[in-house]
Amino acid sequence: MDQKIDHLDRRILEELQRDATQSQRDLADRIGLSQNACWRRLKALEASGIIRNRTVVLDRDRLGAGMVVFVLVRTRHHSATWLRTFRAHVSSIPDVIDFFRIGGDYDYLLKVITRDMNSYDEVYKRLIGEIELETVTSFFAMEAIAEQRPIPLT
């Protein structure tokens, strides 16, 4: 961590991970700070980049996007040019909500959220359609046991 954070900053971050919609007054009350002191700390956390944005968690099933697929990709290509092209290509697919370069037997891990198998097949075809990949392996989630958990700050 670049910026030193103390126990009050940790409390602010824990509270915001629990509920980012709470008012600044409620946040300050929960932390035990004045509104001004809380606001200054919040602005410092944002300016440092520790807080990148505030968002909401949506219910995938209620939105008709209940299928979760983890996709492992292996490639023979490792040049900087290929990587830029691949990153841009994958990043252009809206159903890919998380995208990691990983170590081990595979090179990349994608998390895809989509409606159903037919929708995933369209994502798959788009993924392999424009760029050469050695292996694409898909794992279909049957149940989300723990998802989007807060980052532990202890």
Side-chain angles (χ1 to χ4, degrees):
M1 228 181 292
D2 295 325
Q3 177 182 338
K4 298 280 186 202
I5 62 171
D6 63 15
H7 73 283
L8 292 172
D9 292 331
R10 280 187 178 81
R11 289 281 324 278
I12 290 170
L13 295 171
E14 288 167 350
E15 280 295 322
L16 289 176
Q17 285 187 98
R18 188 183 60 74
D19 180 5
T21 66
Q22 61 188 299
S23 72
Q24 193 174 312
R25 172 173 286 157
D26 289 341
L27 178 61
D29 288 346
R30 283 190 175 88
I31 305 304
L33 292 172
S34 70
Q35 251 186 285
N36 286 340
C38 185
W39 180 84
R40 282 191 300 274
R41 285 175 175 270
L42 199 51
K43 291 301 167 194
L45 290 166
E46 290 170 345
S48 71
I50 291 173
I51 296 175
R52 292 190 314 197
N53 62 19
R54 299 185 208 179
T55 187
V56 300
V57 177
L58 304 176
D59 186 312
R60 291 186 325 275
D61 291 324
R62 289 181 182 220
L63 292 169
M67 178 171 259
V68 179
V69 185
F70 296 96
V71 181
L72 292 169
V73 175
R74 184 181 301 131
T75 181
R76 290 185 195 125
H77 305 282
H78 297 282
S79 73
T81 302
W82 185 90
L83 179 56
R84 273 192 304 278
T85 302
F86 181 63
R87 283 182 177 185
H89 176 61
V90 172
S91 296
S92 76
I93 303 171
D95 300 73
V96 177
I97 63 159
D98 289 314
F99 178 26
F100 300 93
R101 186 167 56 89
I102 60 175
D105 290 338
Y106 289 88
D107 300 304
Y108 300 94
L109 171 68
L110 290 62
K111 182 177 180 183
V112 175
I113 303 289
T114 192
R115 288 185 313 278
D116 53 27
M117 187 59 74
N118 289 334
S119 298
Y120 174 67
D121 191 41
E122 292 302 315
V123 171
Y124 174 80
K125 288 174 186 173
R126 185 170 172 188
L127 177 66
I128 66 167
E130 295 180 23
I131 199 154
E132 183 185 347
L133 303 172
E134 182 177 338
T135 304
V136 177
T137 302
S138 303
F139 294 92
F140 301 92
M142 295 170 46
E143 176 185 11
I145 296 169
E147 187 174 32
Q148 296 178 330
R149 296 173 62 190
I151 295 172
L153 301 173
T154 55

